[in-house]
Amino acid sequence: MKQCFSINFTISSILLLFLSMTLSAQGRYNLPRDYVEDVSAVTAYRLTQFKSFKNFRPGFQRPVIIDVRDVEEYALSHAKNAWSIPFPHIYKRSDSTEYIAQDPKTFYEAVAALFPKNKPIFIICRSGYRSNLAANILANPTVWVPEYANSDIKGFTQVKNVWEGMEGVFRIAVEAQHEVIPIIDDPNTGTALVLDVNNDGILNLADKDGWLGHLNLPYSTRLRPYLLYQPYLHLYYQ
C-alpha cells in the first residue's frame, strides 16, 4: 500500500536543507565525485514525483530514480516509480549468513540496458554512500569498472546523487552553528551532540535528514515487477 505524508517545511527542516546544499560541495562521505552533482531529496522528489510538468522548460526530460539499496530495503519502502538496481549489495540479510554481492560491471550494464546515456538519473541509497559509488560508476565507467579500464565506453552524462538518501543521518550540533534545534547526547557514543529535530527527547528516523526521515516525503511499498531487478526478482517477495 502506498503511504503518503504531507511536507511540513518548519524552520528546522529549512535549516537541514540549507546544510545539505552547503556540505554537498565536498560530498557527505568525502568520496570522489565524477558525476554531475549532489542534489537534495526534495529536488529529486520535485522532479520525479510531481504529475504536472507544465512549468518546466521546453525539452525537459523527466529524470528517473535508481534505488541502489538491497532488495529487502527497497521492498520495505521506496520512492514511487523508483527503479531497483542494487549496488554493491543485492541481498544482505541481517539475520542470516546469506549474502549476494553486485559487481560494478554488472551494475553498469543493467542500467545501460534500460536508459540512454543522456537520461537524467538520480541515484539514491540509505544515506548517500552507496549511491555515491554507484553514480561514479555510471558517470565514469573506465575508471570505476576494472573491466573497462582501457576501453572507450562512455558514461552517463546526467547522473546525480541524492545526497541525504532515503533515511539520511543524524545531524551533529556543530553543523548548525547555533542552538536553534535542541541537542541531546548520541546514545551510540555518549560524546557527540546530535540534533533532536522534533524535540521529543528521542533519536529515531524522524530526526534523520533523509527522504523518509525529517523531510517526510511520500513513499511507496508497492512492488511493480518491471521496476525490480530482474535477475533476483523472487527475493523481493520473501
Side-chain angles (χ1 to χ4, degrees):
M1 177 183 295
K2 176 183 174 183
Q3 305 291 329
C4 293
F5 299 87
S6 62
I7 307 172
N8 297 312
F9 284 104
T10 61
I11 292 176
S12 57
S13 63
I14 294 173
L15 174 60
L16 290 175
L17 287 173
F18 172 77
L19 289 170
S20 297
M21 292 185 290
T22 301
L23 294 175
S24 65
Q26 64 185 32
R28 166 161 285 183
Y29 293 99
N30 293 317
L31 294 171
R33 187 174 64 191
D34 287 345
Y35 49 89
V36 175
E37 64 178 338
D38 294 290
V39 299
S40 71
V42 171
T43 295
Y45 170 77
R46 181 175 64 87
L47 294 180
T48 63
Q49 307 296 297
F50 284 4
K51 294 181 179 179
S52 175
F53 287 84
K54 292 186 297 183
N55 296 325
F56 288 102
R57 65 186 181 277
F60 171 80
Q61 287 192 71
R62 185 170 184 165
V64 295
I65 294 181
I66 296 179
D67 191 325
V68 298
R69 295 175 301 158
D70 66 51
V71 297
E72 286 193 308
E73 291 175 293
Y74 181 92
L76 288 173
S77 59
H78 51 269
K80 182 181 178 181
N81 294 325
W83 293 78
S84 176
I85 307 178
F87 181 84
H89 319 298
I90 295 174
Y91 192 64
K92 188 182 181 183
R93 295 198 59 157
S94 59
D95 60 350
S96 76
T97 58
E98 186 174 359
Y99 174 75
I100 304 173
Q102 177 78 286
D103 66 86
K105 182 174 182 291
T106 304
F107 172 75
Y108 178 86
E109 291 177 347
V111 178
L114 292 170
F115 306 110
K117 296 295 177 63
N118 66 343
K119 181 69 173 177
I121 296 174
F122 293 147
I123 307 294
I124 196 168
C125 67
R126 183 182 63 83
S127 65
Y129 183 84
R130 285 173 285 177
S131 57
N132 182 297
L133 300 177
N136 279 333
I137 288 171
L138 296 182
N140 198 354
T142 59
V143 170
W144 297 97
V145 179
E147 294 89 341
Y148 295 158
N150 297 311
S151 72
D152 58 356
I153 293 180
K154 304 299 182 182
F156 287 80
T157 59
Q158 298 193 60
V159 179
K160 300 180 181 182
N161 176 49
V162 180
W163 193 78
E164 299 98 339
M166 287 300 293
E167 292 187 18
V169 299
F170 294 117
R171 289 295 197 174
I172 60 174
V174 67
E175 293 178 353
Q177 299 180 353
H178 49 72
E179 297 184 9
V180 171
I181 306 174
I183 56 178
I184 60 178
D185 289 335
D186 182 353
N188 298 317
T189 65
T191 55
L193 293 174
V194 180
L195 300 176
D196 179 14
V197 179
N198 57 7
N199 196 25
D200 63 356
I202 302 173
L203 286 180
N204 52 30
L205 180 60
D207 298 303
K208 292 186 176 183
D209 60 4
W211 187 295
L212 300 172
H214 187 67
L215 293 178
N216 204 20
L217 296 171
Y219 67 90
S220 175
T221 58
R222 182 177 180 182
L223 296 177
R224 298 175 181 267
Y226 73 94
L227 293 172
L228 307 181
Y229 190 50
Q230 299 302 305
Y232 293 91
L233 189 61
H234 65 286
L235 294 179
Y236 292 88
Y237 302 97
Q238 290 190 353

